[in-house]
Amino acid sequence: MKIVSTPENLQVLHEDNHIIVINKRVGDIVQGDQTGDMPLSDIVKLYLKKKYNKPGEVYLGVVHRLDRPTSGLVVFAKTSKALSRLNESFKNRETQKTYWAVVKDAPPKVEDTLEHFLVRNQKNNTSKAHNKEVPNSKKAKLTYRMFHQLKTYSALEIDLYTGRHHQIRCQLSAVGCPIKGDLKYGADRSNPDGGIHLHARKLTFIHPVTKETLTIVAPTPDEVIWNNIESK
């Protein structure tokens, strides 16, 4: 059964006076879009309003996003100062993002660095990977390592070096390893919850105020394949 995030069941991984880190569920949208569905940013605002009995509007800044069908770590800023500092930090790649993905079949190598040039198609909201630079393309780079194998799927740990549109989904598909459930990029069938098996697992970043290095890990969704991987 698909669980939707609410102020009551929000998965808070870290909170202090300046930031709040949420484990996003499959299907949550980080910011409002044309669907009109309540975004995670508004749900977090309601959570903070209720928790601290705040009158009026609650400030919350969106630092980065995750695709709707994915799960995992999302950082929000609770002050404008924290937001501007985090924006700068993320822009300058002073963060280390690690993802987990469940893909069809085993990748060509147990571990590898993938470099492509991605072209975004605004009309159908996809990206296409090219091996060489082409007009309007942006360089995309990631490293993956296969750390667990199931009967028909493999679990990969991925470190991102660039942050392109649908980068992991597109690059893995380009080497013959579409993510489980990701029909947009070549999966055979959809997942029951409409999500894909891509999870923002770990984030290391510099706290915008205390300047300490934080490393936060997000538990995977409570689902058979993820549970199998998490228990290893």
Side-chain angles (χ1 to χ4, degrees), residues 5 9 26-27 35 37 46 53 106 109 114 116 119 122 143 146 148 155 158-159 185 212 218 223:
S5 288
N9 70 6
V26 165
T35 62
D37 295 342
L46 288 171
N53 199 19
K109 299 177 183 175
L114 302 181
H116 293 96
V119 177
Q122 298 278 6
T143 298
M146 186 171 72
H148 186 55
I158 298 141
D159 288 317
Y185 289 95
E212 66 178 311
E223 178 271 344

Side-chain angles (χ1 to χ4, degrees), residues 30-50:
V30 175
Q31 265 188 311
D33 65 4
Q34 68 280 3
T35 62
D37 295 342
M38 182 179 276
L40 192 58
S41 54
D42 283 359
I43 294 165
V44 176
K45 279 185 184 180
L46 288 171
Y47 163 84
L48 293 171
K49 190 176 178 68
K50 196 170 178 181

